[in-house]
Amino acid sequence: MIERVLIANRGEIALRILRACRELGVESVVVYSEADAYSLPVQLADKAICIGPPEPINSYLNVQSIMSAAEVVKAQAVHPGYGFLAENPEFAEICLACDLAFIGPPPHVIRLMGDKAEARKRVASWGVPVIPGSPGEVDTEEEALAIAQEIGYPVLMKAVAGGGGRGMRLARDEDELRQVFNTARSEAGAAFGHAGLYVEKFVHPARHIEVQVLADGEGNVLVFGERDCSIQRRHQKVLEEAPALISQVLRERLFQDARLVAEKVGYVSAGTVEFLVDEEERHYFIEMNTRIQVEHPVSEMVTGLDLVKEQIKIASGVPLELEQKDVVSKGWAIEFRINAEDPRSFRPSPGKVERWVVPGGPGVRVDTALYQGYEMPPFYDSLVAKLIVYGRDREEALSRGKRALAEFKVEGIQTTIPLHEAILGSEEFREGKCPVDWLERFVW
Amino acid sequence: MIERVLIANRGEIALRILRACRELGVESVVVYSEADAYSLPVQLADKAICIGPPEPINSYLNVQSIMSAAEVVKAQAVHPGYGFLAENPEFAEICLACDLAFIGPPPHVIRLMGDKAEARKRVASWGVPVIPGSPGEVDTEEEALAIAQEIGYPVLMKAVAGGGGRGMRLARDEDELRQVFNTARSEAGAAFGHAGLYVEKFVHPARHIEVQVLADGEGNVLVFGERDCSIQRRHQKVLEEAPALISQVLRERLFQDARLVAEKVGYVSAGTVEFLVDEEERHYFIEMNTRIQVEHPVSEMVTGLDLVKEQIKIASGVPLELEQKDVVSKGWAIEFRINAEDPRSFRPSPGKVERWVVPGGPGVRVDTALYQGYEMPPFYDSLVAKLIVYGRDREEALSRGKRALAEFKVEGIQTTIPLHEAILGSEEFREGKCPVDWLERFVW
Amino acid sequence: MDIKDLLELVKELADLPVGELELEIDGVKLKLKKAGVQPVAERVETPAQSVATPSLQPVSPTQDGTPQFPPDAVVIRSPIVGTFYRAPSPESPPYVDIGDVVEKGQTLCIIEAMKIMNEIESEVRGEILDILAENAEPVEYGQPLFLVRPLS
Amino acid sequence: MDIKDLLELVKELADLPVGELELEIDGVKLKLKKAGVQPVAERVETPAQSVATPSLQPVSPTQDGTPQFPPDAVVIRSPIVGTFYRAPSPESPPYVDIGDVVEKGQTLCIIEAMKIMNEIESEVRGEILDILAENAEPVEYGQPLFLVRPLS
């Protein structure tokens, strides 16, 4: 087993990884920026090492600093968490070149899945349904118009290098496409360093259903069930649940396709195959996320298993002890992403946490790096806590979510707790099967 | 369904009941003493009503005040929690006389099981093994000596009105019995208002294994699995786990006997049948606790069910939806009772909670009414938090417990967290099957 | 008053929500200040204390009233939980009204608890400055009922 | 009241939450103040900041040193994470020693990171007052390495 892991991240996911290390008896070293000197992961880690000033580019994205830290503390592996360097194939390569295990899939898998157009092409070639669209990158407006003509409007223009819902533009007709094509290209260039776009049919109304997989690189691929992540704001997930309200027939198709993708691509570690599902329960591959995801706890809650510990064991070369029959989904879990934001304007609200009383009791899990008295730095994303509730069935999970949100007491910063309470209060949400644009239209 | 429940308790169990009410959509009214005005249950309840000064006798044990509160808030039911009035048959009778549902078993069941000698006699008459001992109360030293002669030393003298491990004295031979008999009698009189004693063979080494039952009074009795509560200090449970490391044969015998006791006695609500188990896995009924217990969460963790919600539904006259086949124990759970005490001298350590960072992440449940900034009143018991961890198996639960205890940060009061860490660090405990006197002999 | 009485008194005080006490009785002068307990009146005045006290105030009316009472007034609080009645029956006039002067021991109101009518008597002779609870409404232990200005 | 009574009283008080006591009895005047108990009123006066700062200090050496440095000294910190070397090779003499006067731009040490030797130069002309890191030990970003008194 790996004996010392460098955690190249911050906040709740750094703490999540630290917890997994602790339980495995693995030493954890947390790297941190000057802004995070008082953070909980730094306080709890076996060792913490400052790698730079607050700005991510100089610290959490500073490969040289992180590699130096790994070297001086004699780490044997690096866990990148999500965000920052988690899906950077060069970083994974550098780790391997330095004899550090990268806790994630091999670089070529990250690279392939990072190229959304190429990934789509490859996945389609294996017989997995993809959304009708351009066979690859489209370079000109005319090319885009021709494809849109063929697959029918509305269409989405998506950045080849995008992902996580970023870098998308909708065109409902020819005029709109002409209007937004160049904007979309330059945005993609600015945001991802690559202006490449592809064109896709806009499936609407659609739900976002994803499948968690875990593979050990020895040919064992486990499917950890599906998650419904349709509650989104600006393509950012807000609330996720497992399982999804879908037919068993669809579930089996999704599992089969997710497994196929993981097997064909030679996947290793935890990953997520994302699908759109339309009203007739047709499913389309969107992308594969080659990292542990923010919403992984809902799958842990319904299976009773620990994905991050499995990641570390796999990176240590320990073959999976689990078999598919051990992964049984039972009950219902919902995750509420709680951000330090004004719940209506979504303006970030960093500051000093004057009061912080987290919910507890049965069926409640809280993943957070905040504590009362903590001064939230303004440099990083606004996720401050993940509240995950578990119940025997969806109804119990909903009522438990409601009571847990009501007992979550925060002062000093604003949070999106009221938004989640409003979502839980909505009849449409309680009925389930909300499409991905539901929250954008939700009035409260 | 009952619409409004009066919670006649304080601290973590008041909050536990409040949570169950919330999830069922039932209004909760918390009664409190002047010392608890700033407590978390008071802050979170739908309504809170002050019933008296800090001393329990004038507040949480003040039946008149509690009944007046129930009347003025128009409560339909009373949940007594544990301790205080939970096992007072007169209180249950008064509730019923005032048309208030008592969330617990009928008064005659509380009364019978409260008389430990009588309970033992009755249970023995149903064919359940009991520890050899006096058929009933022993009034004189000579009587006690005769019985001890018959059943063999060592023997225990136990207060008829005792329970929860209080009111016991050991005599290893005739001399010791002569020495302690009168002390034991007067202690019993002072502590429980009744000097009655009975004599029992001292089973040694023994483990304390108990079975959780739930009955709806309509003939449905569910067995919720067993708990090992052998880690005790002065007969007070310190740490509990579910399931217990016992053979399947013993488990089935315990379940069968627990079910028999619950059925024969006409049990209603949640209750616990406690057994001693010797090295040959012979089991002996000790007593039945006619209340929800401190350690109920371990059973909730392994079954994924909510005992307190079931209690409220049963008190509302809703027959059990659950069947025995729905109660499936999976994985392993351990509860650590964290007291505000010096972990070595066990001297209470009330005061202001200057720092309070509770553990989180996968498989961790915290039941606590504390918060950072809270001033702990010195009038009540010293339990400040129950940390419950869940794992796929005992090994994972142990490693999770270790990491969760390590991230529990408390300042301002002393706690027994270091004791729990020492217990988890002990080879003997990790091997399991520690007898009830193990902790007394444990050196750290 | 002997030393035993004194100890008894001190012990009793320890359990009561009293911060300071000054006593002169039979030639004995006693002045006591409890450790770590700030008298309530002062707590209200010092703004810095807000850091120390929990930021969520309980809903209980016991907690809210103190500052607004005139310093020379006596607050008569409910000694029990129950329903507050200003008159012996719905048809009767109220026992007292604002502005009335009451004698020590005079009945001010009734608190009904468990069908028993408990008459609450004035602890002092004085003028009723305010009535702080609503007729026929529930009151909790310690809830302020009357504000009385003592008269000698 | 005799001395025994008095002792009894003092002992009893020790266990009770009483902070101050003044007593005048039978011509005896007693004034008691418990040791280690600060009257609450004074507690309020103490700076409120202590509440504000997190009570757990991070283990990082970046955090610990600053206050003890002389006000006129300059702290030269590590600009990168790596291993600190005082000399270009194990056989060579160290670049600088305590008491040396260094010129601005003069090499003070090497930080090795990823097999690359990074020479760290002095930002000022001055006297080396102290060397704050151990040879061949890891240093983190911002960790103090040298204390220099600037000279003009």
Side-chain angles (χ1 to χ4, degrees):
Chain A
M1 187 75 109
I2 286 166
E3 282 167 17
R4 191 175 296 129
V5 169
L6 188 92
I7 301 172
N9 215 304
R10 64 177 301 284
E12 71 86 17
I13 194 64
L15 191 51
R16 173 68 190 89
I17 299 162
L18 194 156
R19 285 170 170 151
C21 290
R22 278 280 161 79
E23 293 180 17
L24 290 171
V26 171
E27 265 187 61
S28 56
V29 181
V30 163
V31 298
Y32 67 98
S33 80
E34 286 183 316
D36 281 334
Y38 292 99
S39 78
L40 209 49
V42 168
Q43 292 176 23
L44 293 174
D46 293 308
K47 198 172 167 61
I49 184 157
C50 183
I51 51 162
E55 304 73 35
I57 194 72
N58 295 322
S59 48
Y60 299 108
L61 289 170
N62 184 338
V63 174
Q64 161 114 34
S65 255
I66 292 168
M67 297 314 294
S68 301
E71 190 188 34
V72 299
V73 302
K74 300 185 178 61
Q76 293 154 311
V78 173
H79 198 306
Y82 54 70
F84 295 131
L85 297 166
E87 286 170 293
N88 181 323
E90 288 77 32
F91 179 65
E93 274 164 354
I94 292 169
C95 287
L96 301 183
C98 295
D99 269 338
L100 282 163
F102 177 81
I103 303 179
H108 73 272
V109 173
I110 303 177
R111 185 167 284 121
L112 168 63
M113 289 302 174
D115 181 338
K116 302 303 166 189
E118 183 58 26
R120 187 173 160 278
K121 215 189 296 180
R122 288 280 280 280
V123 164
S125 77
W126 300 327
V128 175
V130 298
I131 299 170
S134 57
E137 270 186 43
V138 291
D139 296 319
T140 64
E141 197 176 307
E142 280 60 44
E143 221 182 308
L145 284 166
I147 285 158
Q149 185 75 31
E150 190 190 315
I151 61 177
Y153 288 94
V155 298
L156 278 178
M157 268 155 301
K158 300 173 86 168
V160 169
R166 295 178 315 147
M168 292 200 217
R169 281 286 187 151
L170 175 68
R172 270 161 295 195
D173 53 33
E174 220 176 289
D175 283 354
E176 274 195 359
L177 194 151
R178 282 186 204 279
Q179 269 171 43
V180 298
F181 184 80
N182 285 315
T183 327
R185 266 184 77 87
S186 48
E187 277 178 1
F192 311 110
H194 174 56
L197 292 181
Y198 63 104
V199 176
E200 226 177 57
K201 189 168 175 62
F202 178 46
V203 178
H204 181 79
R207 293 159 70 198
H208 175 120
I209 313 277
E210 61 187 31
V211 177
Q212 175 72 54
V213 297
L214 183 73
D216 66 0
E218 312 279 325
N220 301 310
V221 174
L222 298 182
V223 171
F224 261 67
E226 82 283 1
R227 300 186 282 255
D228 187 334
C229 310
S230 303
I231 308 300
Q232 304 186 354
R233 184 186 160 266
R234 302 207 175 158
H235 305 293
Q236 297 293 314
K237 294 163 190 167
V238 167
L239 180 158
E240 302 95 351
E241 50 189 301
L245 285 166
I246 51 173
S247 70
Q248 191 55 28
V249 173
L250 173 60
R251 181 171 291 116
E252 277 159 23
R253 278 196 207 125
L254 294 176
F255 288 4
Q256 192 183 313
D257 282 348
R259 176 187 297 280
L260 182 71
V261 170
E263 282 171 355
K264 285 281 188 186
V265 81
Y267 203 81
V268 183
S269 196
T272 303
V273 185
E274 299 194 328
F275 298 95
L276 275 190
V277 171
D278 71 14
E279 286 189 303
E280 280 77 43
E281 285 209 337
R282 281 183 297 250
H283 68 287
Y284 307 96
F285 169 87
I286 325 172
E287 62 181 34
M288 181 167 193
N289 290 322
T290 57
R291 57 165 195 269
I292 192 78
Q293 280 186 296
V294 176
E295 63 269 29
H296 77 276
V298 289
S299 302
E300 293 184 330
M301 294 294 266
V302 293
T303 60
L305 300 171
D306 188 318
L307 283 163
V308 182
K309 272 156 73 170
E310 295 300 332
Q311 280 192 302
I312 297 170
K313 287 195 277 183
I314 289 168
S316 298
V318 180
L320 281 169
E321 287 165 54
L322 293 172
E323 295 172 42
Q324 189 62 58
K325 70 169 175 48
D326 301 319
V327 186
V328 181
S329 179
K330 191 186 156 197
W332 210 280
I334 305 177
E335 172 179 280
F336 305 92
R337 295 194 192 193
I338 296 172
N339 292 343
E341 290 169 0
D342 177 312
R344 292 198 172 268
S345 71
F346 301 101
R347 199 197 315 260
S349 170
K352 174 131 180 241
V353 182
E354 300 287 358
R355 183 171 164 90
W356 184 253
V357 182
V358 298
V364 170
R365 167 175 170 184
V366 182
D367 277 39
T368 180
L370 258 65
Y371 56 86
Q372 189 166 317
Y374 179 66
E375 188 96 40
M376 256 196 84
F379 307 100
Y380 312 107
D381 84 29
S382 59
L383 181 71
V384 288
K386 303 189 307 199
L387 165 62
I388 308 106
V389 294
Y390 174 83
R392 282 178 68 200
D393 47 31
R394 191 166 187 266
E395 198 190 325
E396 188 175 55
L398 291 173
S399 63
R400 192 156 275 165
K402 192 178 162 199
R403 81 92 179 142
L405 287 166
E407 67 186 62
F408 207 141
K409 298 297 177 194
V410 186
E411 287 170 28
I413 55 170
Q414 283 188 290
T415 74
T416 51
I417 291 172
L419 171 67
H420 287 295
E421 291 186 306
I423 292 171
L424 283 191
S426 133
E427 191 58 47
E428 283 172 297
F429 176 75
R430 285 208 306 278
E431 273 172 21
K433 305 192 181 182
C434 290
V436 288
D437 58 344
W438 176 80
L439 186 60
E440 305 285 358
R441 290 179 284 109
F442 178 53
V443 179
W444 60 290
Chain B
M1 186 77 110
I2 286 166
E3 283 166 18
R4 190 176 295 128
V5 169
L6 189 93
I7 301 172
N9 216 303
R10 64 177 303 284
E12 72 85 18
I13 194 64
L15 191 51
R16 173 69 190 89
I17 299 162
L18 194 156
R19 286 171 168 151
C21 290
R22 278 279 161 80
E23 294 182 15
L24 290 171
V26 171
E27 267 188 59
S28 56
V29 181
V30 162
V31 299
Y32 67 97
S33 80
E34 286 182 316
D36 280 334
Y38 293 98
S39 78
L40 209 49
V42 169
Q43 292 175 24
L44 293 175
D46 293 306
K47 200 173 164 59
I49 184 158
C50 182
I51 51 163
E55 303 73 33
I57 194 73
N58 294 321
S59 48
Y60 298 108
L61 289 170
N62 184 337
V63 174
Q64 162 113 33
S65 257
I66 291 167
M67 297 314 292
S68 301
E71 191 188 33
V72 299
V73 302
K74 299 186 179 60
Q76 294 154 311
V78 174
H79 198 307
Y82 54 70
F84 295 129
L85 297 167
E87 286 171 293
N88 180 323
E90 288 76 30
F91 179 64
E93 274 164 353
I94 292 169
C95 286
L96 300 182
C98 294
D99 269 338
L100 283 165
F102 177 80
I103 302 178
H108 74 270
V109 174
I110 303 176
R111 185 167 283 121
L112 168 62
M113 290 301 173
D115 181 337
K116 303 302 168 190
E118 183 59 25
R120 185 173 160 279
K121 213 189 296 178
R122 289 280 279 281
V123 165
S125 77
W126 301 326
V128 175
V130 298
I131 299 171
S134 57
E137 271 185 45
V138 291
D139 298 318
T140 64
E141 197 176 306
E142 281 60 43
E143 221 180 307
L145 284 166
I147 285 157
Q149 185 74 32
E150 191 189 315
I151 61 179
Y153 287 94
V155 298
L156 278 179
M157 270 157 298
K158 300 172 86 167
V160 169
R166 295 178 315 146
M168 294 200 214
R169 281 286 188 150
L170 175 68
R172 270 161 294 195
D173 53 34
E174 217 176 291
D175 282 354
E176 275 196 357
L177 195 152
R178 283 184 205 280
Q179 269 171 44
V180 297
F181 184 80
N182 286 315
T183 327
R185 265 184 77 87
S186 46
E187 276 178 359
F192 312 108
H194 174 56
L197 292 180
Y198 63 104
V199 176
E200 226 176 58
K201 187 165 177 64
F202 178 48
V203 179
H204 182 79
R207 293 159 70 198
H208 175 119
I209 314 274
E210 60 186 30
V211 177
Q212 174 73 53
V213 297
L214 183 73
D216 65 1
E218 312 279 325
N220 302 310
V221 174
L222 298 183
V223 171
F224 261 67
E226 82 283 2
R227 300 186 282 255
D228 186 332
C229 310
S230 303
I231 306 302
Q232 304 186 354
R233 182 184 162 267
R234 302 206 177 159
H235 305 293
Q236 298 293 313
K237 294 163 190 166
V238 168
L239 179 157
E240 302 95 349
E241 52 188 300
L245 284 167
I246 52 174
S247 69
Q248 191 56 27
V249 173
L250 173 60
R251 181 170 292 118
E252 276 158 24
R253 277 195 209 124
L254 295 176
F255 288 4
Q256 191 184 314
D257 282 349
R259 176 187 296 279
L260 182 72
V261 170
E263 281 170 354
K264 285 280 189 188
V265 81
Y267 202 78
V268 183
S269 198
T272 304
V273 185
E274 299 193 328
F275 298 95
L276 275 190
V277 172
D278 72 13
E279 285 189 303
E280 280 79 42
E281 285 211 334
R282 281 184 296 249
H283 68 288
Y284 307 96
F285 169 87
I286 325 172
E287 62 181 33
M288 180 168 195
N289 289 323
T290 57
R291 58 164 195 271
I292 192 78
Q293 279 185 298
V294 177
E295 62 270 27
H296 77 276
V298 290
S299 302
E300 293 184 330
M301 294 293 265
V302 292
T303 61
L305 300 171
D306 187 319
L307 283 162
V308 182
K309 271 154 75 170
E310 294 299 331
Q311 280 192 303
I312 296 170
K313 288 195 275 184
I314 289 168
S316 300
V318 181
L320 281 170
E321 288 165 52
L322 293 172
E323 294 173 42
Q324 189 63 58
K325 69 169 175 51
D326 302 319
V327 187
V328 180
S329 180
K330 191 188 157 196
W332 210 280
I334 305 177
E335 173 180 278
F336 306 92
R337 296 193 191 195
I338 296 172
N339 292 343
E341 289 169 1
D342 178 311
R344 292 199 174 268
S345 70
F346 300 100
R347 201 197 312 259
S349 171
K352 175 133 179 240
V353 182
E354 301 287 356
R355 184 172 163 89
W356 185 254
V357 182
V358 298
V364 169
R365 167 176 170 182
V366 181
D367 278 38
T368 180
L370 257 65
Y371 56 86
Q372 190 166 316
Y374 179 67
E375 186 96 42
M376 257 197 84
F379 306 101
Y380 312 108
D381 86 29
S382 60
L383 180 71
V384 287
K386 303 189 308 200
L387 166 62
I388 307 107
V389 294
Y390 174 83
R392 280 178 69 199
D393 47 31
R394 190 165 188 267
E395 198 190 326
E396 188 176 55
L398 292 173
S399 63
R400 192 156 275 164
K402 192 177 162 202
R403 80 94 178 141
L405 287 165
E407 66 185 64
F408 207 141
K409 297 298 176 194
V410 186
E411 289 172 24
I413 56 172
Q414 283 188 289
T415 73
T416 51
I417 291 171
L419 172 66
H420 287 295
E421 290 185 308
I423 293 171
L424 283 192
S426 133
E427 191 59 46
E428 283 172 296
F429 176 74
R430 286 207 307 278
E431 273 171 23
K433 305 190 180 183
C434 289
V436 289
D437 58 344
W438 177 79
L439 186 59
E440 305 285 357
R441 291 177 284 108
F442 178 51
V443 178
W444 60 291
Chain C
M1 184 172 186
D2 63 15
I3 201 77
K4 237 180 103 185
D5 288 342
L6 194 73
L7 269 175
E8 195 59 45
L9 178 66
V10 171
K11 267 191 221 164
E12 285 284 343
L13 278 173
D15 292 334
L16 291 173
V18 173
E20 275 185 78
L21 177 133
E22 283 187 53
L23 177 72
E24 202 168 332
I25 184 169
D26 303 335
V28 175
K29 270 195 202 172
L30 174 69
K31 202 168 165 180
L32 257 179
K33 211 182 233 179
K34 209 187 273 188
V37 175
Q38 204 178 10
V40 180
E42 283 168 45
R43 189 195 324 183
V44 178
E45 283 159 26
T46 51
Q49 204 56 8
S50 60
V51 184
T53 55
S55 41
L56 249 185
Q57 294 292 324
V59 288
S60 148
T62 323
Q63 306 303 319
D64 60 5
T66 333
Q68 82 234 21
F69 302 148
D72 58 337
V74 169
V75 181
I76 295 178
R77 294 173 187 274
S78 178
I80 53 171
V81 179
T83 306
F84 173 78
Y85 289 108
R86 292 190 49 199
S89 73
E91 301 78 36
S92 325
Y95 286 109
V96 291
D97 256 317
I98 293 173
D100 288 2
V101 169
V102 296
E103 297 302 318
K104 188 174 167 178
Q106 184 178 332
T107 299
L108 299 177
C109 66
I110 278 175
I111 308 279
E112 183 201 328
M114 308 302 295
K115 317 288 168 216
I116 292 163
M117 301 296 166
N118 303 277
E119 294 187 349
I120 308 300
E121 299 174 354
S122 183
E123 297 148 24
V124 292
R125 177 172 189 274
E127 181 195 346
I128 303 289
L129 293 179
D130 205 354
I131 300 173
L132 306 160
E134 290 295 316
N135 190 51
E137 286 294 307
V139 291
E140 60 184 344
Y141 174 85
Q143 183 169 337
L145 303 176
F146 297 93
L147 205 59
V148 181
R149 187 200 318 279
L151 302 169
S152 53
Chain D
M1 185 170 187
D2 63 15
I3 200 78
K4 237 180 104 185
D5 287 342
L6 196 71
L7 268 175
E8 193 60 45
L9 180 66
V10 171
K11 265 190 224 162
E12 286 283 346
L13 280 173
D15 293 330
L16 291 173
V18 173
E20 281 183 70
L21 177 134
E22 284 185 54
L23 177 70
E24 204 169 327
I25 184 169
D26 302 335
V28 176
K29 267 195 204 174
L30 174 70
K31 202 168 166 178
L32 258 177
K33 211 181 232 180
K34 208 187 273 188
V37 176
Q38 205 177 5
V40 180
E42 287 165 42
R43 193 197 320 181
V44 179
E45 287 158 25
T46 57
Q49 285 92 292
S50 58
V51 186
T53 53
S55 40
L56 249 184
Q57 294 292 324
V59 288
S60 150
T62 322
Q63 305 304 320
D64 59 6
T66 332
Q68 82 233 19
F69 301 147
D72 58 337
V74 169
V75 181
I76 295 179
R77 296 173 185 274
S78 178
I80 52 170
V81 179
T83 306
F84 174 77
Y85 290 109
R86 291 189 51 200
S89 74
E91 300 77 36
S92 323
Y95 286 109
V96 293
D97 256 319
I98 293 173
D100 287 2
V101 169
V102 296
E103 297 302 319
K104 188 173 168 184
Q106 183 177 332
T107 299
L108 300 177
C109 65
I110 278 175
I111 309 278
E112 182 202 330
M114 309 301 296
K115 316 288 169 219
I116 292 164
M117 301 295 166
N118 303 277
E119 294 188 349
I120 308 299
E121 299 173 353
S122 183
E123 298 147 25
V124 292
R125 174 172 191 273
E127 181 196 347
I128 303 289
L129 293 178
D130 206 354
I131 300 172
L132 305 161
E134 290 295 317
N135 190 50
E137 287 294 307
V139 291
E140 59 184 344
Y141 173 85
Q143 183 169 336
L145 303 176
F146 297 94
L147 205 57
V148 181
R149 188 200 317 279
L151 302 170
S152 52

